[in-house]
Amino acid sequence: MLTILTLIPIAAILLCLIVFKLSVAKSGAISLALALILAVAFFGITHYGIMVASGKALWLALFVSLIVWNALFLYHLVSDFGAIEVINDGLMAVLKDKFVAFVLLSWLFTGLLQGIAGFGIPSVIVAPILIALGFESVKSVSASLLGHSWAVTFGSMGAAFFVMQGITGIPEAELGFPMWVFNVVTRLLTGIGVCWIYNGAKGIKKGLSYVVPTSVVTAAVQYFLIRFGMYSVTTILTALSGIVFMFLLYKFRERFKNTAVPPEHGNTVVNGRKRLSLPQSVLPYVLILILLLSFQFIPLSIRQKVSIAPNFPATATTLEAAHEVPAALGYNPIRLFAHPAMVLIIAAVVACIIYKKTGIWDSKTYSGKVKGAAVKTVKKGIPATLALLAFGHTSLIMMDSGMMLILAKSIARLTGNFYPFAAPFIGTLATFLTGNNTNSNVMFGEFQYSVAQELGLSGAVMSGAQSIAGGLGCAIASTLVLMAALATKQTDKVSVILKKLIPLVMIIVAVMGIVNYILIHNY
C-alpha cells in the first residue's frame, strides 16, 4: 500500500507536464500538495520535519536560482549585443557540416563543461548556441541535456564519484573500473541518442561513423586516467580528447570532398552595421572556462572557508519503524570560489565592459540593451524560482518522510535476484526528483551497496551502476530541464522536451541494467 502511495507525487509530475501540459509552476504545486498530504497522513512526517524539509528546499532554490538568474542575464546580454550571431558565423566557418557541429557541441562540449562545473551550466550555455546556429529549439535543449549526462559522475571535478566512494568506503581503484565500464556504455548511447534527436534513424546512420570511433578513443583515454587515479580531471580530459579527435576526423573526411569555398564569416561590418569581432564575442565564454578551471587550484581549505551554508537538525517520522533523517551540517554550501554563479557574474561584468569599449553603440543604446537584458532576466527568473521551490519541496518532503526509501526497498524486494537490472532505475529516479547526482548517491549509495552485499554480489559494481545511472537522470531532472528551458525561452515546451527525452533515457538505463546484471555476476 505504502509503495503505491509513494508513486503518486511522481506520477503527478509526469501527468501534469506531459499529458495535461500544465505549466511547470502548476505541475510543481500539484505534486507538492500531494506529497505533503501523503507524507502527513500515511508516512508520519511531523510539522517540525516539514519545517526542516522546507528550509532545505528554500536553500536549494537559492543555490540553483543564483545560477539561473546569472545565466539568464549573461545569455540575454550576449544575445542582445549580437555576440551569439557572430559566434554562429565563426563556428560554421570551421564546421560547415551542421550535423557534426550539433553532435560535437551537444555531446562533447557539454561534457567538457560538465567536467569543470556542472549544476546545469552545460545545457544553459550550449542550448542557446545551438538555437543560434539554426537548430530547432526543442532538439537543441533535448540534445544538450542528454548529451552532457554521460559526464556527470566524474564531472564537477569528480564530486559525485568522491561522494559515492566516501559513502560506501570502497577503495577508489576498486570503484573506478566498474564505473568506467558503465561510463563507456552511457557515453556511446548518449552519443547515439543525440544523433536520434537530430534526425531519427537517418541521424543515427550518419552519426555512427563519428560516434563509434570517438567513443573508442575516449574510452581508452578515460581508462588510463582512472588507472592512474586522475579522477578529478577524468571527464575534462576525456571530453577534450573526444572534441579533438572528432574535429580531426571531420577535417580528414572534408579533405576528400569537393566542397565550394564558403563565404567569409565573422566580419566586423555587415550591411553597413558594425558588430563585435569573434574574439570579443567568445571572450565571456572563454573566461567562464578559464575561471572554472583556475578556481580548482585554490586550496580546498580556502574554498571551504569562503562559503555560506546553513545547518539543519535531525528529524524523525512518527511511524513505529521511524524514518530517521540525520542532521545536515553545512548543507549544500554556496562557496565563493566554487559556485558557478560567481563565474557567471564575472563573465557578465566583463562582457558589459567589452561591449562598452567597442564603441559600436552610443551610451543610450548601450544602456538600453543592458537594462533590457536585466528586465528579461527578472521576468523569466521569478517564475523559475517559484517552480524550483515547488519541485525542491516535493523532493525534500519525499526524502525526509521516507517515501523514497520505501519505494527503493519495495523495488529491491519485488525484483529479488533480478535486482541488478532494476538498480540503475533507482539512481535515475532519485536524480529525476532531486536534480542532482550527488544527492542521488547520498540517498541511495549505501542502500545499493547493502543490497548487493545481501545478495552476495559486488558492492563496487552496484555502486558504479547507481552513480552512472544517477548521472543519466540529469537529462530529465525537473530542475535542470527547467533551467535549460528558461535559458532558451522554451518554458512552454517542457512537456515536449520530457516526451522526447524520457523514452531515450529509459532505453539507456535498461541497457545499463543488462550490463550491470552481466558484470555483477562475473566480477
Side-chain angles (χ1 to χ4, degrees), residues 321-389:
H323 174 68
E324 297 182 357
V325 182
L329 304 178
Y331 184 75
N332 270 40
I334 297 177
R335 296 191 175 101
L336 183 64
F337 297 115
H339 196 279
M342 176 57 64
V343 174
L344 291 166
I345 290 171
I346 295 172
V349 170
V350 170
C352 287
I353 294 171
I354 293 170
Y355 301 158
K356 189 175 181 63
K357 292 290 186 183
T358 60
I360 297 174
W361 301 274
D362 57 39
S363 298
K364 185 177 181 180
T365 303
Y366 171 82
S367 299
K369 287 181 180 290
V370 174
K371 289 179 182 177
V375 170
K376 292 174 185 175
T377 299
V378 173
K379 286 183 178 179
K380 296 288 184 181
I382 291 175
T385 299
L386 293 175
L388 288 169
L389 278 169

Side-chain angles (χ1 to χ4, degrees), residues 1-16 30-31 33-35 38 42-43 394 398 403 407:
M1 175 65 178
L2 290 179
T3 302
I4 295 174
L5 294 176
T6 62
L7 293 171
I8 292 176
I10 301 170
I13 293 175
L14 296 174
L15 287 172
C16 288
I30 292 171
S31 179
L34 291 170
L38 293 170
F42 298 99
F43 295 90
T394 302
M398 290 189 69
M403 295 171 74
L407 178 58

